[in-house]
Each structure stands twice: as structure tokens, then as C-alpha cells.
Amino acid sequence: ELANRMAERVAAVVKALMNNGMMVTQNQVIDADTAELIIEEFGHKAVRVSDADVEDVILQIEDDEKDLKPRPPVITVMGHVDHGKTSLLDAIRNAKVVSGEAGGITQHIGAYQVQADGGQVLTFLDTPGHAAFTSMRSRGAQVTDIVVLVVAADDAVMPQTVEAINHAKAAEVPIIVAINKIDKPSANPDKVRTDLLQHGIVVEGMSGDVQDVEVSALKGTGLDELLEAILLQAEILELKANPDRPAQGAVIEAQLDVGRGPVATVLVQNGTLRQGDIFVAGEQWGRVRAMENDKGKRLKDAGPSVPVEILGLHGTPEAGDVLNVVETEAQAREIAEYRQQLAKDKRAAAGAATTLEQLMANAKADQSVKELPILIKADVQGSAEAIVQAMEKIGNEDVRVRVLHYGVGAITDTDVGLAEASGAAIVGFNVRANASARASANQKGVEIRYYSIIYDLVDDVKAAASGLLGSEI
Ligand code: GDP
């Protein structure tokens, strides 16, 4: 590859490497410093593609306040299984599809837009589930403005409800509670409200500031009220973007289609994406050959908060990858190749997983970080709560432990996802990680520590927090 790029003979490059004491074969990977040495020996000039170069190409244009225009809110629906997330998403879509819109038949592209009675547009991510939410975050995409937390009125708060609350809190995204299934005779919405109190969610009726709406996804009641609540929250957030700049977005879904090649649903977050635009999306690049919205309508351009399905990728990106429009194909290819190489290197180094100590070292380098995020799983609720209390006592005004999530049961993939997204370590108290969580923790470099004595745990975390501060606490 190196010989190729320099337009030199492979044998000559291998020989030069050997002369430098490196016994290599022609397909062996060499490090960048060695490559640079060899390149110079051949009288060429090495141009390294660095993180900084990539940042340069992907212009992080600071938008001028005066260029910012209001944009629709982007909403994710979360909640416990069977509480009605899918039903609610379907009910909203069916009730609010703008009549007369091309075909009117919505296709599943991972997100859709609806129009409220007042004409305001809302974008819903059509992929309920917490894993999707955190895996997006862990890949650098913060796409959700508002979380709608669905809680079934005949069931109240369940483990995944709590998990959803913690995910939303970790991402600092405001929550609106949709109390679902109020059509059921056994519905008890007040139980939901009081249950939520225990998890730090105080609804407006209980003098808190979290909006709650009673709905029935089945009967279609309360949907307008829910949309109104979302729009009110959106107004408070003052969501804005600049439509007059090269697009930046996030990949919501992507797959390889037999007939059409790689297809990705992209949510435009800033700027306007146009047909013909050249872009990078994570480790992939492409040129927008065609774009369709969620109603299957062909689009020439898509502005902020618009989800579109795009064709013209050279590979399949991953959900959560960030998309940036760049100027030239050469730039796009170079950035994609650079990132692929980086990912390869990272996989190679995956053996050296992040440890609590390393996490601390990193945090230290970044002076602004004075929080030690952790996730706690325990065998029984009592232990989990005792540990959280102990954790809250650790620290002082300069450093503190932040418990992102705690719960009962084995450590799962979702826990690992949340930990990765927030740079946290996981603590297992008398519980283990399941096989798939272990594998994914290994791969993602998330540290899992096991304890059976609270004192040991407190000591370790204290030491880590002291390390973070650089002095005893
Ligand atoms: P998800 O797992 O959260 O996506 O939940 P689903 O949307 O799949 O709903 C689970 C079950 O609850 C299904 O059988 C739905 O028909 C039912 N369901 C959902 N919403 C309502 C509702 O408002 N009222 C009643 N009675 N049933 C509902």
C-alpha cells in the first residue's frame, strides 16, 4: 500500500525497511513513524491525516446567532416492555399523517414527522428502546431533544421505566410522562405519579416541573394533549439550527439493501442536506444519489430535524454515526479511510481495556472533569440503595461520585451501553455480567468490577476519587 502510494516498487520498500532493521513482509502493517521515515528516504513528503486535519475539513462552523432558525423537536419514546411504546408511536403517526401527502403511506425509515393541529412539526424516532438511545450516544450522536416516558397505568413503574429515567437523566434530556392505557378499568394513573416520585420525577400536579399526560394508544385519546406538552417543552428548549450551511446529521438506521446498496436513514441536525452532497458518515463516505422522506417522497433537500433515507453510500455506516458534508470526494475518502484505520488500531488495542485507574488518569488530564461516573448493579434492592448512599457520601466540593444508574440483577448489554456512553465504570455487587455483556464490555473497553463487601467497594472508589483530585479526600 505504501509502495503503491509512493509509486515505488514493493521490493524496494521492503528492502528499505529491512535496511532499517525491520524484517517485514509486503502485507505487514507498519506504524506511522516508520512509514514517515521510509517515505522521506524515498525523497517524498509524508502528509499525515490527523484528528486535527479531519476537524479542519469537517468545519465545525460556529453558527451566528442571527442565522439560527427554530427547528422541530426530536422525540424518543422510552419505557418498560409492553407499556405501549410501539402502540403510541403508531397511534401518533396514524392520527397525524398529513392528508394529501404523497401516497400518505408511511414507510419505516426509523423516524417520522407529524404535524400538530397548530401546524408545528414534530420528529419522532421510530426506534423505541434504550439500547438504541445509548448506542447513539456512545457513538457521539446526541439526537434526542425530549424523551417521552411511557408508563402503563395498570402496571406503574417497572425496572425498565427506571432505566429509561436514568438514561434520560444521564443524557440531560427532559422527560414528559405519558401515562398510557387509561382506557383500562384497572388503570390507576395516580399510582404512576406517586411511584415516579421515588425516582426523582415530580409531575406538575404534584408541584414538580415534569409534564404528564394521560393517554390511550389503543383508543387514540390524549394524543393532542401529548403533542401539545411536547411542543411546550420544545418552546422552553428554544431549539434552533442554521439551515444555510453544509449539513451535519446522525445516522438513525443503516442496512445493506440487495437491490439498492447501502441505505441509511439520516436525521439532519444542522444545515441542509442536498442531493449531490458529498459526505462522511462515521467510517463511510458517499454522495447523496437520492433522498426520500418517511412518506416515500423524493426530496432534493432536507433541512434541520428532517429524517431522510439516503442512497449513494460506499459502505454501511452504523446507527449513531455522525454525518458531515465535506467539499470534495478526496476529502471524504481520506477521512473515511483514516477513521477505518483508527478503528482497526483501536480494535487491535482492545486487549488493553480501560481501567478505573486509566479513567482517572484521563479525567485528571481534563481538569474540568471532577465527577466519577459509576453504574451499580446489586443482588437485592437494599444493597443497591445502601451502596448508592455510601457513594453519595464520598467526595467533597471538588470531586464527587455520580451514580448514573442502579438496579437489581445481572449486568446486561444495556448497562454496558450506558456506561460506555457516559465513560463510566460498572460495579457488580454479588452479581455478575452475563456472557454477552462481558463480551461487549471487553470490546468497548468498559470496566466491570465485582464486589461482595461494601467496605472494599467504598475504599476503591475513594482511592479513585482521590486520584481524580490529586489529593486525599
Ligand atoms: P411496547 O413493548 O412498549 O412497545 O408495547 P406495545 O405497544 O407492543 O403494547 C403492548 C400491549 O399493550 C399490546 O398488546 C397493546 O395492544 C397493548 N396496549 C398498548 N397501548 C394500550 C392502551 O392504550 N390501552 C390498552 N388497553 N392496551 C394497550
Side-chain angles (χ1 to χ4, degrees):
E1 173 69 27
L2 183 61
N4 229 330
R5 290 213 185 182
M6 294 192 297
E8 301 286 351
R9 283 176 35 244
V10 174
V13 173
V14 171
K15 193 165 156 223
L17 280 162
M18 287 187 173
N19 287 343
N20 279 290
M22 295 198 50
M23 298 303 140
V24 295
T25 60
Q26 62 166 287
N27 291 324
Q28 201 158 326
V29 177
I30 56 172
D31 63 66
D33 289 332
T34 311
E36 191 161 352
L37 200 79
I38 299 298
I39 292 165
E40 277 163 9
E41 235 172 66
F42 277 85
H44 299 288
K45 196 174 170 309
V47 182
R48 284 202 200 193
V49 182
S50 67
D51 287 328
D53 292 336
V54 171
E55 294 304 324
D56 271 353
V57 174
I58 298 172
L59 294 172
Q60 297 300 340
I61 312 169
E62 276 290 324
D63 290 308
D64 215 322
E65 185 63 34
K66 69 172 177 10
D67 297 327
L68 297 176
K69 308 253 159 61
R71 64 165 177 86
V74 180
I75 302 113
T76 298
V77 174
M78 295 170 98
H80 196 70
V81 64
D82 278 348
H83 279 198
K85 298 179 291 292
T86 314
S87 306
L88 188 62
L89 277 162
D90 288 348
I92 293 170
R93 177 167 37 202
N94 294 336
K96 295 294 163 189
V97 165
V98 187
S99 55
E101 247 178 319
I105 303 162
T106 54
Q107 48 176 23
H108 177 88
I109 67 166
Y112 65 82
Q113 286 198 310
V114 295
Q115 204 168 29
D117 291 341
Q120 309 94 323
V121 175
L122 302 94
T123 305
F124 282 86
L125 295 189
D126 196 5
T127 41
H130 311 168
F133 186 81
T134 39
S135 82
M136 293 251 189
R137 264 203 334 124
S138 70
R139 300 189 74 79
Q142 174 89 318
V143 288
T144 304
D145 300 311
I146 296 166
V147 163
V148 167
L149 178 69
V150 179
V151 191
D154 63 337
D155 195 17
V157 170
M158 295 295 281
Q160 283 170 287
T161 318
V162 179
E163 202 178 272
I165 293 170
N166 292 327
H167 282 296
K169 279 188 181 163
E172 295 177 2
V173 175
I175 293 173
I176 292 173
V177 180
I179 304 177
N180 191 29
K181 308 198 186 183
I182 50 146
D183 59 283
K184 284 201 165 181
S186 55
N188 187 355
D190 278 334
K191 176 167 188 317
V192 173
R193 295 185 181 98
T194 40
D195 263 18
L196 285 169
L197 278 178
Q198 289 172 15
H199 302 280
I201 303 284
V202 190
V203 300
E204 283 179 337
M206 304 183 103
S207 65
D209 55 4
V210 177
Q211 298 188 78
D212 62 307
V213 185
E214 293 184 10
V215 299
S216 163
L218 192 74
K219 305 259 188 248
T221 42
L223 300 184
D224 285 328
E225 287 80 359
L226 178 60
L227 296 192
E228 265 165 40
I230 294 169
L231 289 169
L232 186 67
Q233 183 66 56
E235 229 174 275
I236 295 166
L237 295 173
E238 290 189 58
L239 305 167
K240 285 181 180 167
N242 173 12
D244 300 312
R245 55 166 283 166
Q248 187 236 303
V251 175
I252 304 295
E253 276 187 0
Q255 68 272 334
L256 188 62
D257 187 293
V258 182
R260 301 184 296 168
V263 182
T265 296
V266 172
L267 176 75
V268 179
Q269 295 184 285
N270 202 4
T272 297
L273 185 63
R274 296 173 205 285
Q275 197 174 334
D277 275 351
I278 298 160
F279 63 85
V280 271
E283 295 165 31
Q284 307 301 336
W285 71 282
R287 177 193 287 270
V288 181
R289 202 167 73 225
M291 280 197 287
E292 276 184 8
N293 70 4
D294 54 322
K295 282 107 195 164
K297 187 177 163 209
R298 286 289 279 268
L299 300 181
K300 286 260 181 281
D301 42 55
S305 297
V306 176
V308 279
E309 191 181 70
I310 60 171
L311 298 182
L313 280 145
H314 290 278
T316 313
E318 291 192 43
D321 277 342
V322 175
L323 174 142
N324 288 96
V325 167
V326 297
E327 278 178 14
T328 68
E329 225 172 86
Q331 284 173 335
R333 184 180 295 127
E334 197 160 5
I335 294 171
E337 280 173 4
Y338 168 71
R339 287 180 175 167
Q340 281 166 16
Q341 186 59 48
L342 216 61
K344 223 186 265 171
D345 293 350
K346 206 173 150 193
R347 276 194 294 275
T354 315
T355 65
L356 205 53
E357 285 74 20
Q358 262 174 353
L359 210 67
M360 289 309 103
N362 296 346
K364 221 185 208 162
D366 176 0
Q367 287 301 327
S368 64
V369 180
K370 289 287 192 322
E371 272 189 345
L372 173 55
I374 61 169
L375 208 145
I376 297 161
K377 290 305 275 290
D379 52 345
V380 290
Q381 185 73 13
S383 314
E385 281 165 6
I387 292 168
V388 172
Q389 273 176 15
M391 293 296 114
E392 279 167 357
K393 285 200 194 109
I394 298 175
N396 52 28
E397 65 272 18
D398 295 319
V399 61
R400 68 184 194 98
V401 178
R402 183 166 176 227
V403 179
L404 288 176
H405 172 66
Y406 72 94
V408 172
I411 296 161
T412 63
D413 279 341
T414 332
D415 297 326
V416 174
L418 177 58
E420 189 202 13
S422 306
I426 300 176
V427 166
F429 189 80
N430 286 334
V431 295
R432 314 291 297 176
N434 64 32
S436 134
R438 267 202 308 274
S440 99
N442 263 335
Q443 193 207 349
K444 292 171 174 164
V446 170
E447 190 190 18
I448 302 178
R449 285 212 178 181
Y450 302 107
Y451 294 89
S452 50
I453 299 170
I454 294 191
Y455 283 122
D456 291 345
L457 166 61
V458 170
D459 276 352
D460 279 6
V461 173
K462 259 191 188 157
S466 301
L468 176 58
L469 201 59
S471 66
E472 270 313 298
I473 57 164

